[in-house]
Amino acid sequence: MQVDGIYKLSPGFVLEKKDGEEYMYLAMPTQTRQEGIKTDWEAVGRDKWPALMPESLFAEDRKEGELAFHTGQRLVSLRAATLPDFATYYDASVMNPKVLVGMFLGAMATFVFCAMTMKAVGRAAKGMVEEVRRQFREKPGIMEGTEMPDYATPVSISTVAAQREMVLPSILGLLMPIAVGLLVGVGGEMGLLVGTLTCGFCLAIFMANAGGAWDNAKKYIEAGHHGGKGSEAHKAGVVGDTVGDPFKDTSGPSLNILIKLMSMVSVVVAGLVVRYSLMAMGIF
């Protein structure tokens, strides 16, 4: 059982036990790096948390529920801590390299996710095309109206592909917040969400508009403009629509799911990241 005293729980959390009462505080990085504090603060072994800290590190004359270093800097009471206090503690600014790393990873994750979903659509479509060709080849009566095509097989190919092809994109959205949070801490996790949200939103709007433009361009040409069907413009329009359909119907809308999924996973594992990230363990 811990005796009365002041204990270091992590690189920035402090616990004071006094007369059966417990008080939690936040020690800001700017405070623990000050001369006269840094040496004694870092001397407390990180492998011995909670570790009893020397009383000489703190001011003697203080009110109950308040704690201050001997230099006069007051620690923030966890009960009264505000969002700006936590933002300061975790250095949630673009000047923090961990936040920048998280932002870049979040931005890149949206493009990787879109690439995976686009390729998934291509593979599923290829499987259906091969099945339709097989039926035309093995059942020539389909074109003549004497044989009925097998509709169930292409539908089955689409259903199976819709589930199987989303496994890897889903794993990306599930594991990336956990991995980033454990490696670069709360700041990196916040940067990841910022990068995913801002870049994902812009990318989704771009894909919806670009995909719709390509689709409408093909329809416009097929209406008789620029040479109509069979022209070089129509061939280019078909190519554009081949990319535009998964743009506006698959990758663009699914980015909304990626953003929500990463946000929910980050909320669920917030406690794990706060306590067991490399930053919280004092390693990184």
Side-chain angles (χ1 to χ4, degrees):
M1 180 178 295
Q2 297 175 3
V3 297
D4 286 357
I6 303 174
Y7 293 84
K8 182 178 179 182
L9 301 182
S10 72
F13 285 88
V14 176
L15 168 67
E16 182 184 20
K17 291 181 66 69
K18 184 177 181 182
D19 300 330
E21 297 289 336
E22 293 186 353
Y23 306 95
M24 290 284 294
Y25 302 93
L26 278 176
M28 298 298 176
T30 54
Q31 296 175 332
T32 57
R33 289 195 293 261
Q34 292 291 325
E35 290 294 332
I37 297 177
K38 181 177 180 180
T39 303
D40 292 335
W41 178 265
E42 294 180 349
V44 180
R46 63 183 59 160
D47 57 336
K48 298 179 181 179
W49 295 336
L52 186 63
M53 304 189 71
E55 290 284 347
S56 60
L57 192 59
F58 303 93
E60 296 182 1
D61 52 337
R62 59 179 184 271
K63 299 179 182 178
E64 185 175 340
E66 293 184 359
L67 189 64
F69 289 113
H70 62 75
T71 55
Q73 295 176 313
R74 293 177 55 185
L75 280 72
V76 178
S77 173
L78 202 59
R79 294 179 180 178
T82 61
L83 283 178
D85 291 327
F86 285 105
T88 302
Y89 172 73
Y90 290 111
D91 194 11
S93 69
V94 293
M95 298 302 292
N96 184 358
K98 298 182 180 67
V99 176
L100 280 177
V101 168
M103 292 175 64
F104 282 123
L105 288 175
M108 290 187 293
T110 59
F111 288 93
V112 173
F113 183 84
C114 289
M116 296 171 76
T117 54
M118 291 282 289
K119 290 178 71 68
V121 171
R123 286 190 293 267
K126 182 179 179 181
M128 295 180 68
V129 169
E130 292 298 332
E131 172 60 21
V132 171
R133 288 176 176 174
R134 182 193 66 80
Q135 292 193 29
F136 279 134
R137 185 172 58 253
E138 297 179 1
K139 298 180 180 181
I142 294 177
M143 295 298 293
E144 300 173 1
T146 58
E147 289 185 85
M148 287 293 295
D150 179 13
Y151 298 107
T153 302
V155 172
S156 176
I157 292 173
S158 176
T159 303
V160 172
Q163 299 173 349
R164 181 182 298 165
E165 295 289 350
M166 285 308 296
V167 171
L168 286 179
S170 300
I171 291 176
L172 174 69
L174 288 170
L175 294 185
M176 178 160 278
I178 301 175
V180 171
L182 291 178
L183 290 175
V184 291
V186 175
E189 189 84 349
M190 295 175 67
L192 176 73
L193 296 180
V194 170
T196 303
L197 175 61
T198 55
C199 189
F201 173 77
C202 295
L203 191 58
I205 298 298
F206 159 74
M207 284 187 159
N209 284 278
W214 275 323
D215 189 22
N216 291 334
K218 189 195 73 169
K219 293 177 181 177
Y220 184 75
I221 295 171
E222 288 178 345
H225 302 86
H226 302 292
K229 290 185 178 181
S231 64
E232 292 298 321
H234 182 249
K235 294 177 182 178
V238 171
V239 173
D241 187 48
T242 303
V243 181
D245 278 339
F247 253 51
K248 66 183 179 65
D249 297 330
T250 303
S251 296
S254 62
L255 280 171
N256 180 45
I257 306 301
L258 177 70
I259 295 171
K260 288 183 177 180
L261 183 61
M262 283 194 172
S263 301
M264 290 304 299
V265 172
S266 299
V267 171
V268 171
V269 301
L272 179 70
V273 172
V274 169
R275 180 61 184 88
Y276 293 105
S277 66
L278 296 184
M279 177 182 173
M281 300 295 289
I283 300 173
F284 180 57

